[in-house]
Amino acid sequence: MRKCLLPCLALLALPVPAAAQQREAWQAPTLSITRYDEDWSDLSDADKRAHHWTGPLKYIPIGDDAWLSTGIEVRARSERYGDNLWGGADAPDDAYLWLRAMPYVDLHVGKARAFVQPIAAYAVGVAPSASPIDQTRVDLLQAFGEVDLGPVTLRAGRQMLSLGTERLIGTRYGRNVPLAFDGARADMRVGKAVVSLLAMKPVQPGSGSFDDATSDTKALWGAYAALPELDIYYLGYRNRAARFGGVDGREIRHSLGFRSHGVRDNWHWNVEGVYQFGHFGGQRIAAWTLGTEVGHTFPTLPLAPDAMLRLNVVSGDKKAGDGRLGTFNALFPKGKYFGELSPVGPTNIISVNPRVSATLGGGLSASLTAMAYWRASKGDGVYDIPGNLIRAPGNGAPRFIGKEAEVAIAWQATPEWELSTSFSAFAPGAFIRDTGPAKTITMLGLESNFRF
């Protein structure tokens, strides 16, 4: 662990340009994870470009009605696990360092654009060995062309996807190599709604340079309509090499979902429900989930805390071999689904998750989170975030999987540079104790992220 932490701590101490420490009156677009949805066209005004040291790099005029935008992310993240997967992992005590750099170039020519973002991702100390999501070396993360036709925008190529709050389709930004897709997307503006049509295949990272490839087993298609406070969507999914309950087969799954979200005074909410149907290996699919998130901010209290309660119910399979598969498939969800430490994923689970966060001043923020997990169905086991079965149901009758606590602190040192740390502990419950190794998982995370 010491060897992993020293390079990370050294990166935390890197100096940044003095100008970057000045908060300017001009409000730049919010930096996003996908980067391509940042709009820097307002910097065509040379006076605005002069307001911040990044201005000349975010808008580079190159001719009549043509300009470039550039940027980069440099991240170092160190993680240390104790008794991972309750002591059942191949390397339960693991400490490693992730390093990645993701520069990008965004070329605009009239109503057309070309966006290119390579990635250099390396890992040090991963045991027993680094996987392609830890280390892909040098590869192409995103590269697409786009044309704006007024009410319709067409895009084709390699791109990251983020739909809603990423319960089903996310970037998996937290891991060292984010998730990307190859395919086409059309965004249509209809009144206040934006309707996105998708036809995609996920990208499978390779362990060497320039060997990431389009998946030949998985495909995603659908339509996602986003209104000011309501999302409605259909997503189709195919996997020729799916596996459920120890059975391999071809999976065709259809998801119908809605999401209600918004802010009223000091209240905020995000409620999402999904029903799935289709077939797998001769079985009929009938699965569902309901996720709720309700919070309240207290602006008159010291530190203006925000209290939030999340409740998720995700179906599992009731009985193997009955011709009906009730196991929910979260498709491509965000990587940190329940927090920084997420050994369990959104399949066959009931979770209760209260959280309190506060702004401490001086760019500091902190949060304290608790989680408790139960199996939704006794006939099904426990899954990780990608949907792999990590603890079979066996003869384990208890539903209770375990409880977790997490504290996180972040410091926005400059507009471009953030430092963060988190500590998590997951104590096993009766089901884990009855079905295998049952030690308490601990994880310490340290991160330095510089983006502009």
Side-chain angles (χ1 to χ4, degrees):
M1 174 62 184
R2 192 175 187 181
K3 292 180 180 179
C4 290
L5 280 178
L6 288 177
C8 187
L9 293 176
L11 267 174
L12 301 188
L14 280 175
V16 296
Q21 301 177 30
Q22 301 175 1
R23 308 278 180 168
E24 300 292 349
W26 176 73
Q27 294 296 314
T30 300
L31 299 184
S32 69
I33 290 174
T34 55
R35 304 311 303 265
Y36 56 71
D37 48 9
E38 300 169 11
D39 183 3
W40 297 94
S41 59
D42 196 42
L43 291 184
S44 58
D45 184 335
D47 289 338
K48 291 182 179 180
R49 290 202 297 274
H51 282 184
H52 197 267
W53 72 272
T54 61
L57 299 171
K58 304 310 293 184
Y59 190 99
I60 306 171
I62 57 174
D64 294 339
D65 204 20
W67 55 283
L68 276 173
S69 184
T70 65
I72 192 171
E73 173 188 298
V74 179
R75 188 187 79 162
R77 179 172 177 84
S78 176
E79 294 185 346
R80 178 179 180 178
Y81 283 89
D83 293 312
N84 196 12
L85 287 184
W86 307 284
D90 292 338
D93 299 321
D94 194 10
Y96 52 84
L97 175 66
W98 281 341
L99 299 168
R100 78 181 181 200
M102 301 190 302
Y104 76 86
V105 176
D106 189 5
L107 171 64
H108 293 256
V109 180
K111 297 296 185 180
R113 72 188 291 207
F115 184 94
V116 177
Q117 184 178 39
I119 182 173
Y122 292 87
V124 179
V126 177
S129 61
S131 72
I133 65 171
D134 299 308
Q135 177 171 274
T136 192
R137 294 182 167 83
V138 179
D139 226 300
L140 196 59
L141 180 63
Q142 300 192 88
F144 62 80
E146 181 182 285
V147 59
D148 184 354
L149 302 177
V152 179
T153 300
L154 302 178
R155 180 187 304 159
R158 181 164 295 183
Q159 56 202 277
M160 296 165 66
L161 290 179
S162 176
L163 299 181
T165 48
E166 300 191 349
R167 283 193 172 115
L168 290 185
I169 307 295
T171 61
R172 297 194 181 167
Y173 175 77
R175 70 188 197 185
N176 208 30
V177 181
L179 176 64
F181 292 81
D182 286 336
R185 173 176 181 167
D187 292 334
M188 299 180 294
R189 288 166 287 282
V190 183
K192 295 183 179 180
V194 176
V195 180
S196 299
L197 304 180
L198 309 169
M200 304 281 184
K201 291 185 176 182
V203 174
Q204 179 61 51
S207 57
S209 293
F210 300 107
D211 62 352
D212 293 3
T214 307
S215 173
D216 59 1
T217 60
K218 298 179 180 179
L220 173 73
W221 63 93
Y224 195 101
L227 290 87
E229 291 187 348
L230 179 67
D231 297 354
I232 303 172
Y233 57 88
Y234 159 76
L235 296 172
Y237 173 75
R238 184 210 68 215
N239 185 358
R240 294 193 182 103
R243 184 177 179 84
F244 292 97
V247 177
D248 296 322
R250 186 174 186 266
E251 176 187 8
I252 297 291
R253 189 178 293 251
H254 308 281
S255 301
L256 298 175
F258 76 92
R259 171 177 169 249
S260 172
H261 56 95
V263 178
R264 289 286 190 280
D265 298 323
N266 295 322
W267 290 93
H268 55 91
W269 74 92
N270 179 25
V271 178
E272 188 164 359
V274 183
Y275 177 74
Q276 294 183 333
F277 60 96
H279 56 86
F280 162 75
Q283 302 180 69
R284 180 174 63 89
I285 294 174
W288 61 276
T289 184
L290 179 64
T292 65
E293 177 183 295
V294 179
H296 189 278
T297 302
F298 299 88
T300 60
L301 294 181
L303 308 181
D306 181 86
M308 184 165 57
L309 178 64
R310 295 187 179 113
L311 172 63
N312 291 280
V313 182
V314 190
S315 71
D317 196 34
K318 292 184 178 180
K319 183 179 180 181
D322 64 352
R324 180 173 179 240
L325 179 64
T327 303
F328 186 81
N329 186 341
L331 305 183
F332 306 97
K334 57 187 175 184
K336 298 178 181 179
Y337 202 93
F338 296 113
E340 294 291 312
L341 171 62
S342 289
V344 297
T347 301
N348 188 39
I349 205 164
I350 300 171
S351 70
V352 178
N353 175 200
R355 179 178 184 266
V356 177
S357 60
T359 301
L360 307 181
L364 280 171
S365 61
S367 65
L368 179 62
T369 309
M371 290 83 100
Y373 307 95
W374 295 262
R375 289 186 300 153
S377 171
K378 290 185 177 182
D380 209 343
V382 174
Y383 296 76
D384 61 12
I385 289 175
N388 303 308
L389 183 66
I390 57 175
R391 189 64 67 92
N395 296 319
R399 291 182 184 270
F400 189 51
I401 300 169
K403 54 190 176 182
E404 182 179 356
E406 179 176 284
V407 59
I409 301 174
W411 177 37
Q412 194 71 45
T414 76
E416 297 78 32
W417 187 33
E418 183 185 60
L419 307 176
S420 61
T421 184
S422 65
F423 178 76
S424 310
F426 192 120
F431 172 72
I432 299 298
R433 292 195 298 268
D434 285 1
T435 53
K439 297 180 180 180
T440 296
I441 309 171
T442 60
M443 190 199 84
L444 173 66
L446 296 170
E447 182 170 312
S448 170
N449 198 349
F450 181 84
R451 283 193 302 163
F452 76 82

